[in-house]
Amino acid sequence: MSHDPAPTPADPLLGPADVRALSGALGIRPTKTLGQNFVIDPGTVRKIVRTAGITAEDVVVEVGPGLGSLTLALLETGARVVAIEIDPVLAEALPVTVAARLPEAADRLLVVRSDAMDVTELPAFPGEGPAQPGALVANLPYNVAVPVLLTLLERLPSLRTGLVMVQAEVADRLAAPPGSRTYGVPSAKAAWYARAQRSATIGRTVFWPVPNVDSALVRIERRDPPSSTASREEVFAVVDAAFSQRRKTLRSALAAWAGSAERAAAAVTAAGLDPTLRGERLGITDFARIAEHRGPDA
């Protein structure tokens, strides 16, 4: 590995000088393309780990570990961490950094060099089957936060809880209830898998480079999806259609999905709902009922 971290420091977590030095040694400049903003404040990552309730009993999946700021704080608890990193330089450097700064935790880290959207199964810790993480804790890249979160909830059924740091506006959308101004596709689809609740706001100055927007934490608690004869794909098709023309009534917005405005109205009525409502008024259970009543010829 090309970088040579300093001897084990008194505080194993990365401060501002550590982040900049490590970035320089690796020839890394945070890129907007990958949505990279590195956390430079140890207090912030320790707060995230405490808020997530991570203990030595946990297996945690982290997306976009970057230089390892949050990874080190997670490992500090005694937990095992599976870190998914798309950047090959960062993926290769992370185990070296952990071995240098928190050597006792080196065997509790697995690094997956991949786009999180491509992950279907996680590797195994030595002597075990594929990792079954129960918690997701991550500083999600701003530009892919929602699809990454939904994909991991779909593909990793072992995930029961999560605490993700996202753009504050995205946090509002994920946690929004039906009828609120920010309620939309992310809110409804996240609700299929879990209860999402906005937590603390994170100031911009804890990042390098400093982003142009605020960040916030979103707590995720897995729950069973609505009981429905419709599949998740069928329900999500209704959600997408309902919000594709947000200001239109369900009768109009669902016309293409159902085959006509009349069939859309019939499906909505059969679900016990008013076709003159807009999608923003419906919860995920309502969308599931509509999906069940789509006509066979649609």
Side-chain angles (χ1 to χ4, degrees), residues 227-242:
S227 178
S228 176
T229 57
S231 68
R232 176 184 56 80
E233 292 82 2
E234 290 169 334
V235 177
F236 281 12
V238 181
V239 173
D240 288 334

mmCIF file with all atom_site columns, all heavy atoms in Angstrom, residues 227-242:
data_model
loop_
_atom_site.group_PDB
_atom_site.id
_atom_site.type_symbol
_atom_site.label_atom_id
_atom_site.label_alt_id
_atom_site.label_comp_id
_atom_site.label_asym_id
_atom_site.label_entity_id
_atom_site.label_seq_id
_atom_site.pdbx_PDB_ins_code
_atom_site.Cartn_x
_atom_site.Cartn_y
_atom_site.Cartn_z
_atom_site.occupancy
_atom_site.B_iso_or_equiv
_atom_site.pdbx_formal_charge
_atom_site.auth_seq_id
_atom_site.auth_comp_id
_atom_site.auth_asym_id
_atom_site.auth_atom_id
_atom_site.pdbx_PDB_model_num
ATOM 1   N N   . SER A 1 227 ? -49.498 -6.068  4.334   1.00 0.00 ? 227 SER A N   1
ATOM 2   C CA  . SER A 1 227 ? -50.038 -7.359  3.918   1.00 0.00 ? 227 SER A CA  1
ATOM 3   C C   . SER A 1 227 ? -50.832 -7.137  2.636   1.00 0.00 ? 227 SER A C   1
ATOM 4   O O   . SER A 1 227 ? -51.830 -6.409  2.626   1.00 0.00 ? 227 SER A O   1
ATOM 5   C CB  . SER A 1 227 ? -50.935 -7.932  5.017   1.00 0.00 ? 227 SER A CB  1
ATOM 6   O OG  . SER A 1 227 ? -51.495 -9.153  4.604   1.00 0.00 ? 227 SER A OG  1
ATOM 7   N N   . SER A 1 228 ? -50.378 -7.736  1.546   1.00 0.00 ? 228 SER A N   1
ATOM 8   C CA  . SER A 1 228 ? -50.991 -7.448  0.254   1.00 0.00 ? 228 SER A CA  1
ATOM 9   C C   . SER A 1 228 ? -50.771 -8.600  -0.706  1.00 0.00 ? 228 SER A C   1
ATOM 10  O O   . SER A 1 228 ? -49.749 -9.290  -0.649  1.00 0.00 ? 228 SER A O   1
ATOM 11  C CB  . SER A 1 228 ? -50.380 -6.168  -0.338  1.00 0.00 ? 228 SER A CB  1
ATOM 12  O OG  . SER A 1 228 ? -50.898 -5.907  -1.629  1.00 0.00 ? 228 SER A OG  1
ATOM 13  N N   . THR A 1 229 ? -51.723 -8.804  -1.602  1.00 0.00 ? 229 THR A N   1
ATOM 14  C CA  . THR A 1 229 ? -51.550 -9.799  -2.655  1.00 0.00 ? 229 THR A CA  1
ATOM 15  C C   . THR A 1 229 ? -50.712 -9.240  -3.795  1.00 0.00 ? 229 THR A C   1
ATOM 16  O O   . THR A 1 229 ? -50.268 -9.983  -4.674  1.00 0.00 ? 229 THR A O   1
ATOM 17  C CB  . THR A 1 229 ? -52.911 -10.246 -3.211  1.00 0.00 ? 229 THR A CB  1
ATOM 18  O OG1 . THR A 1 229 ? -53.626 -9.090  -3.698  1.00 0.00 ? 229 THR A OG1 1
ATOM 19  C CG2 . THR A 1 229 ? -53.745 -10.914 -2.126  1.00 0.00 ? 229 THR A CG2 1
ATOM 20  N N   . ALA A 1 230 ? -50.488 -7.930  -3.813  1.00 0.00 ? 230 ALA A N   1
ATOM 21  C CA  . ALA A 1 230 ? -49.654 -7.301  -4.828  1.00 0.00 ? 230 ALA A CA  1
ATOM 22  C C   . ALA A 1 230 ? -48.186 -7.397  -4.417  1.00 0.00 ? 230 ALA A C   1
ATOM 23  O O   . ALA A 1 230 ? -47.855 -7.348  -3.225  1.00 0.00 ? 230 ALA A O   1
ATOM 24  C CB  . ALA A 1 230 ? -50.045 -5.840  -5.024  1.00 0.00 ? 230 ALA A CB  1
ATOM 25  N N   . SER A 1 231 ? -47.310 -7.536  -5.396  1.00 0.00 ? 231 SER A N   1
ATOM 26  C CA  . SER A 1 231 ? -45.877 -7.591  -5.120  1.00 0.00 ? 231 SER A CA  1
ATOM 27  C C   . SER A 1 231 ? -45.326 -6.195  -4.856  1.00 0.00 ? 231 SER A C   1
ATOM 28  O O   . SER A 1 231 ? -45.974 -5.185  -5.147  1.00 0.00 ? 231 SER A O   1
ATOM 29  C CB  . SER A 1 231 ? -45.131 -8.203  -6.315  1.00 0.00 ? 231 SER A CB  1
ATOM 30  O OG  . SER A 1 231 ? -45.186 -7.324  -7.430  1.00 0.00 ? 231 SER A OG  1
ATOM 31  N N   . ARG A 1 232 ? -44.115 -6.165  -4.308  1.00 0.00 ? 232 ARG A N   1
ATOM 32  C CA  . ARG A 1 232 ? -43.466 -4.872  -4.078  1.00 0.00 ? 232 ARG A CA  1
ATOM 33  C C   . ARG A 1 232 ? -43.326 -4.105  -5.392  1.00 0.00 ? 232 ARG A C   1
ATOM 34  O O   . ARG A 1 232 ? -43.568 -2.901  -5.436  1.00 0.00 ? 232 ARG A O   1
ATOM 35  C CB  . ARG A 1 232 ? -42.089 -5.080  -3.439  1.00 0.00 ? 232 ARG A CB  1
ATOM 36  C CG  . ARG A 1 232 ? -41.293 -3.791  -3.236  1.00 0.00 ? 232 ARG A CG  1
ATOM 37  C CD  . ARG A 1 232 ? -39.899 -4.080  -2.703  1.00 0.00 ? 232 ARG A CD  1
ATOM 38  N NE  . ARG A 1 232 ? -39.165 -4.984  -3.550  1.00 0.00 ? 232 ARG A NE  1
ATOM 39  C CZ  . ARG A 1 232 ? -38.547 -4.627  -4.672  1.00 0.00 ? 232 ARG A CZ  1
ATOM 40  N NH1 . ARG A 1 232 ? -38.572 -3.362  -5.067  1.00 0.00 ? 232 ARG A NH1 1
ATOM 41  N NH2 . ARG A 1 232 ? -37.906 -5.519  -5.395  1.00 0.00 ? 232 ARG A NH2 1
ATOM 42  N N   . GLU A 1 233 ? -42.940 -4.803  -6.455  1.00 0.00 ? 233 GLU A N   1
ATOM 43  C CA  . GLU A 1 233 ? -42.782 -4.144  -7.749  1.00 0.00 ? 233 GLU A CA  1
ATOM 44  C C   . GLU A 1 233 ? -44.095 -3.535  -8.233  1.00 0.00 ? 233 GLU A C   1
ATOM 45  O O   . GLU A 1 233 ? -44.114 -2.421  -8.778  1.00 0.00 ? 233 GLU A O   1
ATOM 46  C CB  . GLU A 1 233 ? -42.248 -5.136  -8.791  1.00 0.00 ? 233 GLU A CB  1
ATOM 47  C CG  . GLU A 1 233 ? -40.822 -5.599  -8.550  1.00 0.00 ? 233 GLU A CG  1
ATOM 48  C CD  . GLU A 1 233 ? -40.709 -6.726  -7.535  1.00 0.00 ? 233 GLU A CD  1
ATOM 49  O OE1 . GLU A 1 233 ? -41.766 -7.200  -7.024  1.00 0.00 ? 233 GLU A OE1 1
ATOM 50  O OE2 . GLU A 1 233 ? -39.569 -7.129  -7.232  1.00 0.00 ? 233 GLU A OE2 1
ATOM 51  N N   . GLU A 1 234 ? -45.186 -4.260  -8.028  1.00 0.00 ? 234 GLU A N   1
ATOM 52  C CA  . GLU A 1 234 ? -46.498 -3.754  -8.451  1.00 0.00 ? 234 GLU A CA  1
ATOM 53  C C   . GLU A 1 234 ? -46.917 -2.529  -7.635  1.00 0.00 ? 234 GLU A C   1
ATOM 54  O O   . GLU A 1 234 ? -47.464 -1.561  -8.179  1.00 0.00 ? 234 GLU A O   1
ATOM 55  C CB  . GLU A 1 234 ? -47.544 -4.866  -8.324  1.00 0.00 ? 234 GLU A CB  1
ATOM 56  C CG  . GLU A 1 234 ? -47.379 -5.978  -9.348  1.00 0.00 ? 234 GLU A CG  1
ATOM 57  C CD  . GLU A 1 234 ? -48.232 -7.195  -9.056  1.00 0.00 ? 234 GLU A CD  1
ATOM 58  O OE1 . GLU A 1 234 ? -48.577 -7.436  -7.874  1.00 0.00 ? 234 GLU A OE1 1
ATOM 59  O OE2 . GLU A 1 234 ? -48.555 -7.922  -10.015 1.00 0.00 ? 234 GLU A OE2 1
ATOM 60  N N   . VAL A 1 235 ? -46.631 -2.576  -6.345  1.00 0.00 ? 235 VAL A N   1
ATOM 61  C CA  . VAL A 1 235 ? -46.979 -1.438  -5.488  1.00 0.00 ? 235 VAL A CA  1
ATOM 62  C C   . VAL A 1 235 ? -46.126 -0.226  -5.844  1.00 0.00 ? 235 VAL A C   1
ATOM 63  O O   . VAL A 1 235 ? -46.628 0.901   -5.951  1.00 0.00 ? 235 VAL A O   1
ATOM 64  C CB  . VAL A 1 235 ? -46.808 -1.806  -3.999  1.00 0.00 ? 235 VAL A CB  1
ATOM 65  C CG1 . VAL A 1 235 ? -47.090 -0.594  -3.113  1.00 0.00 ? 235 VAL A CG1 1
ATOM 66  C CG2 . VAL A 1 235 ? -47.735 -2.962  -3.628  1.00 0.00 ? 235 VAL A CG2 1
ATOM 67  N N   . PHE A 1 236 ? -44.835 -0.450  -6.053  1.00 0.00 ? 236 PHE A N   1
ATOM 68  C CA  . PHE A 1 236 ? -43.953 0.666   -6.398  1.00 0.00 ? 236 PHE A CA  1
ATOM 69  C C   . PHE A 1 236 ? -44.324 1.279   -7.747  1.00 0.00 ? 236 PHE A C   1
ATOM 70  O O   . PHE A 1 236 ? -44.116 2.474   -7.965  1.00 0.00 ? 236 PHE A O   1
ATOM 71  C CB  . PHE A 1 236 ? -42.497 0.210   -6.396  1.00 0.00 ? 236 PHE A CB  1
ATOM 72  C CG  . PHE A 1 236 ? -41.890 0.101   -5.011  1.00 0.00 ? 236 PHE A CG  1
ATOM 73  C CD1 . PHE A 1 236 ? -42.679 0.151   -3.867  1.00 0.00 ? 236 PHE A CD1 1
ATOM 74  C CD2 . PHE A 1 236 ? -40.519 -0.050  -4.836  1.00 0.00 ? 236 PHE A CD2 1
ATOM 75  C CE1 . PHE A 1 236 ? -42.128 0.052   -2.595  1.00 0.00 ? 236 PHE A CE1 1
ATOM 76  C CE2 . PHE A 1 236 ? -39.951 -0.138  -3.581  1.00 0.00 ? 236 PHE A CE2 1
ATOM 77  C CZ  . PHE A 1 236 ? -40.757 -0.091  -2.450  1.00 0.00 ? 236 PHE A CZ  1
ATOM 78  N N   . ALA A 1 237 ? -44.878 0.484   -8.664  1.00 0.00 ? 237 ALA A N   1
ATOM 79  C CA  . ALA A 1 237 ? -45.331 1.029   -9.949  1.00 0.00 ? 237 ALA A CA  1
ATOM 80  C C   . ALA A 1 237 ? -46.469 2.019   -9.735  1.00 0.00 ? 237 ALA A C   1
ATOM 81  O O   . ALA A 1 237 ? -46.546 3.058   -10.414 1.00 0.00 ? 237 ALA A O   1
ATOM 82  C CB  . ALA A 1 237 ? -45.767 -0.100  -10.879 1.00 0.00 ? 237 ALA A CB  1
ATOM 83  N N   . VAL A 1 238 ? -47.340 1.737   -8.770  1.00 0.00 ? 238 VAL A N   1
ATOM 84  C CA  . VAL A 1 238 ? -48.420 2.676   -8.451  1.00 0.00 ? 238 VAL A CA  1
ATOM 85  C C   . VAL A 1 238 ? -47.850 3.947   -7.831  1.00 0.00 ? 238 VAL A C   1
ATOM 86  O O   . VAL A 1 238 ? -48.266 5.067   -8.175  1.00 0.00 ? 238 VAL A O   1
ATOM 87  C CB  . VAL A 1 238 ? -49.450 2.025   -7.492  1.00 0.00 ? 238 VAL A CB  1
ATOM 88  C CG1 . VAL A 1 238 ? -50.578 3.004   -7.176  1.00 0.00 ? 238 VAL A CG1 1
ATOM 89  C CG2 . VAL A 1 238 ? -50.016 0.749   -8.089  1.00 0.00 ? 238 VAL A CG2 1
ATOM 90  N N   . VAL A 1 239 ? -46.900 3.788   -6.928  1.00 0.00 ? 239 VAL A N   1
ATOM 91  C CA  . VAL A 1 239 ? -46.269 4.954   -6.300  1.00 0.00 ? 239 VAL A CA  1
ATOM 92  C C   . VAL A 1 239 ? -45.630 5.850   -7.360  1.00 0.00 ? 239 VAL A C   1
ATOM 93  O O   . VAL A 1 239 ? -45.836 7.070   -7.375  1.00 0.00 ? 239 VAL A O   1
ATOM 94  C CB  . VAL A 1 239 ? -45.212 4.503   -5.266  1.00 0.00 ? 239 VAL A CB  1
ATOM 95  C CG1 . VAL A 1 239 ? -44.424 5.709   -4.741  1.00 0.00 ? 239 VAL A CG1 1
ATOM 96  C CG2 . VAL A 1 239 ? -45.865 3.754   -4.111  1.00 0.00 ? 239 VAL A CG2 1
ATOM 97  N N   . ASP A 1 240 ? -44.853 5.247   -8.253  1.00 0.00 ? 240 ASP A N   1
ATOM 98  C CA  . ASP A 1 240 ? -44.186 6.024   -9.302  1.00 0.00 ? 240 ASP A CA  1
ATOM 99  C C   . ASP A 1 240 ? -45.199 6.762   -10.165 1.00 0.00 ? 240 ASP A C   1
ATOM 100 O O   . ASP A 1 240 ? -45.005 7.939   -10.501 1.00 0.00 ? 240 ASP A O   1
ATOM 101 C CB  . ASP A 1 240 ? -43.328 5.103   -10.177 1.00 0.00 ? 240 ASP A CB  1
ATOM 102 C CG  . ASP A 1 240 ? -42.074 4.608   -9.473  1.00 0.00 ? 240 ASP A CG  1
ATOM 103 O OD1 . ASP A 1 240 ? -41.592 5.311   -8.561  1.00 0.00 ? 240 ASP A OD1 1
ATOM 104 O OD2 . ASP A 1 240 ? -41.586 3.519   -9.826  1.00 0.00 ? 240 ASP A OD2 1
ATOM 105 N N   . ALA A 1 241 ? -46.282 6.089   -10.529 1.00 0.00 ? 241 ALA A N   1
ATOM 106 C CA  . ALA A 1 241 ? -47.302 6.711   -11.379 1.00 0.00 ? 241 ALA A CA  1
ATOM 107 C C   . ALA A 1 241 ? -48.012 7.843   -10.646 1.00 0.00 ? 241 ALA A C   1
ATOM 108 O O   . ALA A 1 241 ? -48.258 8.911   -11.212 1.00 0.00 ? 241 ALA A O   1
ATOM 109 C CB  . ALA A 1 241 ? -48.313 5.657   -11.834 1.00 0.00 ? 241 ALA A CB  1
ATOM 110 N N   . ALA A 1 242 ? -48.323 7.625   -9.391  1.00 0.00 ? 242 ALA A N   1
ATOM 111 C CA  . ALA A 1 242 ? -49.068 8.631   -8.628  1.00 0.00 ? 242 ALA A CA  1
ATOM 112 C C   . ALA A 1 242 ? -48.297 9.925   -8.470  1.00 0.00 ? 242 ALA A C   1
ATOM 113 O O   . ALA A 1 242 ? -48.886 11.019  -8.451  1.00 0.00 ? 242 ALA A O   1
ATOM 114 C CB  . ALA A 1 242 ? -49.432 8.068   -7.252  1.00 0.00 ? 242 ALA A CB  1
#
